[in-house]
Amino acid sequence: MAGDRWDRALDENSPGVRRINYAFVDQYSPEYAAMEADAAQRGSAERERKAKRRDVPGSRKPPPDPTGLRSRRADELEFPLDATRTDTMRLFIGGLEIHRTGLLFSLIAREDGSAVPSFIGERVNLTHRIRPPHRHRIYLGVVLPDGQVVTNTKSTPALAPEDDDLDTPWLYGGTSYSTKCETGASYFLSPLPSSTGRLTVTIAYPE
């Protein structure tokens, strides 16, 4: 074991490495029990630390002023939907802004003009949170030029990179809105991806 992880490449003859016999009849060996208790304590402390985290650094959120704005796209990009879908909505990316610290955009769901029984926001959840009455959310994945995938399943501050980690890509889940025929949610990808490659945005709904 290395910490609380099994390391197959670990040399059992290396200095400081001990073999622990996991076989037992009625109870754990004292060494194994102590190791389990230590791992549980460290895991509990880490969960508590993350649960108390309520915010992230400013560089991980949309800038409050436009001084770092580099460019903006006024048009919207529509996602091609599966032809077998029976719902009446269309999905877009809009509000695309390139800032010095990251990329701001919105996911938008809009009725296609057909008659609908209710507000669209009551039928589709574009935010990163699972919230009543929805039992699900949209899945949003951004494939970066280097192949890394960033998703909105980790958009809460508790799951964000550490404050001093400025390099790990992460999606901040921002504001949302809803009208009868349209609903949307904003996201901020930081740090700003390389301009020499392609970004691929993929969605799935329900999640």
Side-chain angles (χ1 to χ4, degrees):
M1 298 285 288
D4 57 356
R5 295 176 293 104
W6 175 254
D7 188 348
R8 294 182 181 274
L10 194 65
D11 184 358
E12 63 182 59
N13 297 315
S14 297
V17 176
R18 292 179 300 151
R19 177 186 290 276
I20 298 177
N21 184 8
Y22 287 90
F24 61 90
V25 179
D26 297 322
Q27 60 183 1
Y28 292 118
S29 69
E31 283 185 307
Y32 181 69
M35 185 180 68
E36 284 282 283
D38 179 63
Q41 183 177 13
R42 285 186 284 112
S44 177
E46 179 67 7
R47 287 190 296 272
E48 182 178 357
R49 182 189 69 81
K50 288 185 175 181
K52 291 181 178 179
R53 193 176 187 195
R54 295 288 185 266
D55 204 359
V56 292
S59 61
R60 292 292 188 178
K61 297 186 286 187
D65 59 74
T67 56
L69 179 64
R70 294 182 176 178
S71 65
R72 176 188 290 123
R73 283 189 65 151
D75 59 330
E76 296 177 340
L77 306 175
E78 183 171 4
F79 288 95
L81 297 182
D82 190 330
T84 63
R85 293 183 66 96
T86 57
D87 52 38
T88 60
M89 69 178 178
R90 299 165 65 191
L91 289 165
F92 304 85
I93 284 182
L96 188 64
E97 295 182 355
I98 298 177
H99 292 263
R100 178 180 54 82
T101 54
L103 183 68
L104 178 66
F105 63 93
S106 292
L107 286 181
I108 302 166
R110 188 176 296 129
E111 299 292 357
D112 65 1
S114 304
V116 293
S118 62
F119 281 81
I120 188 173
E122 296 176 354
R123 296 186 290 110
V124 57
N125 176 15
L126 300 186
T127 74
H128 64 288
R129 293 185 175 89
I130 297 177
R131 61 188 186 189
H134 303 283
R135 298 185 300 275
H136 46 69
R137 62 191 159 195
I138 197 166
Y139 169 85
L140 166 65
V142 182
V143 185
L144 303 178
D146 62 1
Q148 291 188 79
V149 180
V150 189
T151 81
N152 66 336
T153 61
K154 297 184 177 181
S155 289
T156 60
L159 299 177
E162 297 300 327
D163 290 356
D164 58 355
D165 179 357
L166 304 179
D167 300 320
T168 299
W170 184 66
L171 272 176
Y172 173 83
T175 60
S176 61
Y177 69 91
S178 186
T179 65
K180 183 174 179 58
C181 298
E182 181 176 310
T183 186
S186 67
Y187 289 92
F188 186 71
L189 173 64
S190 65
L192 185 65
S194 168
S195 61
T196 59
R198 172 179 293 184
L199 285 181
T200 301
V201 181
T202 180
I203 56 174
Y205 193 86
E207 180 184 16

